[in-house]
Amino acid sequence: MSSSPADAVSRQEFDAIFAAVRTWGRWTPADRGAWNRVTPEHVRRAAGLVRSGTAVPLGLPWDTRPGPDNPRPALHHMTDLGDVEAPEPATYKDFLAADYHGKAVSHLDALSHVAYEGRLYDGRPAREAVGSGGARFGSVAALGPLVTKGVLLDLPAVHGADWLEPGHPVHARDVVAAERALGVTIDEGCAVLLRTGRFRRSRELGAWDSGAASAGFHVDAVPLLAERAIALLGGDGDSDLRPSPVEGVHSPVHALAVAAMGVPLLDNLDLEALSAACAGADRHEFMIVVAPLNVPGGTGSPVDPVAVL
């Protein structure tokens, strides 16, 4: 099922949702946003979910190949082949770089990444907070690491399918149905990961421009996630339904989660191994560890989160 005219949301309706889920002025420090919800008790709860000790990495391989979903490939080249320094021991060094805010690198969006109507999270004017030297508010360096309970909403598994087709909307009612089918509960301080089967589809059918068409959350799911008081949202896409159901807002879930709710986003995770591990363990809750790079002024970071069952 792809989105239909019935899924359309007016700008006025969107602005009302934005105002309803906004948490501006709630936390100190503000640029950690919803990560302030995660207390030592949440970490201990997450550790209690570890039973088998199986660790599942969620990051994609570093992708240096151009494609329809990777117009700006990451860079990787050698800088030392053991022939530059003194003879022993030989050393080998390489260089990495990426324009990571896209569809090909697993990354975390910090609170300085998204502004709506000129304002970042907590109402900070974007032009004052972010400049050529980076972000002075909402930097990824302000977030630090996160350890909390993770929930996998494996929608293809719920529907008995291999994947959701691009353009398939995930509504609030679908989230509730997935909780029931998978035996999970989204609650305060947890990380919600949406599997659409994007990478299984691309491996079997070939890559496509997921910036133009992707399965993702419809905006009507966001008030439910806000009510549940989540700390982190992510998936194998970028959480947004594309094409957008909101005219004039190309990434409405980004605007609602990051700019209104202060919830960082994890984009482009490979959730296929986690899907298999959760199915094998017959549970879709786990401990998740997210450790972004400590980049002062950074609007996000490449990241390889780990789920531990």
Side-chain angles (χ1 to χ4, degrees), residues 99-113:
D99 186 357
Y100 60 88
H101 283 300
K103 311 302 178 187
V105 177
S106 300
H107 68 270
L108 179 75
D109 291 340
L111 301 190
S112 54
H113 176 54

Side-chain angles (χ1 to χ4, degrees), residues 8-18:
V9 176
S10 72
R11 188 65 172 269
Q12 183 178 13
E13 290 170 322
F14 176 79
D15 287 344
I17 294 172
F18 190 97

Side-chain angles (χ1 to χ4, degrees), residues 52-71:
S52 68
T54 301
V56 183
L58 308 179
L60 292 171
W62 197 250
D63 196 347
T64 60
R65 302 163 299 172
D69 58 347
N70 192 16

Side-chain angles (χ1 to χ4, degrees), residues 161-196:
D162 293 330
W163 55 72
L164 304 182
E165 285 294 334
H168 184 115
V170 177
H171 291 280
R173 62 179 179 270
D174 300 311
V175 173
V176 173
E179 286 184 294
R180 187 180 305 114
L182 299 171
V184 296
T185 301
I186 297 170
D187 53 13
E188 183 186 31
C190 78
V192 176
L193 305 182
L194 172 65
R195 176 178 174 259
T196 69

Side-chain angles (χ1 to χ4, degrees), residues 124-202:
R124 307 299 175 99
R127 290 189 178 276
E128 296 176 13
V130 185
S132 60
R136 293 179 290 276
F137 171 83
S139 164
V140 70
L143 289 174
L146 181 76
V147 179
T148 194
K149 168 186 166 181
V151 171
L152 179 65
L153 295 181
D154 196 338
L155 266 292
V158 171
H159 292 294
D162 293 330
W163 55 72
L164 304 182
E165 285 294 334
H168 184 115
V170 177
H171 291 280
R173 62 179 179 270
D174 300 311
V175 173
V176 173
E179 286 184 294
R180 187 180 305 114
L182 299 171
V184 296
T185 301
I186 297 170
D187 53 13
E188 183 186 31
C190 78
V192 176
L193 305 182
L194 172 65
R195 176 178 174 259
T196 69
R198 171 192 171 194
F199 291 108
R200 179 165 180 178
R201 186 182 192 277
S202 67

Side-chain angles (χ1 to χ4, degrees), residues 7-11 13-15 17-18 21 114-116 211 214 216-223 233 238-261 263 265:
D7 293 312
V9 176
S10 72
R11 188 65 172 269
E13 290 170 322
F14 176 79
D15 287 344
I17 294 172
F18 190 97
V21 302
V114 178
Y116 182 63
S214 62
F217 287 110
H218 188 272
V219 295
D220 73 9
V222 178
L233 185 64
D238 65 2
S239 295
D240 260 294
L241 170 68
R242 302 186 189 281
S244 169
V246 185
E247 185 176 359
V249 183
H250 65 80
S251 301
V253 172
H254 273 65
L256 293 172
V258 180
M261 296 163 56
V263 172
L265 295 179

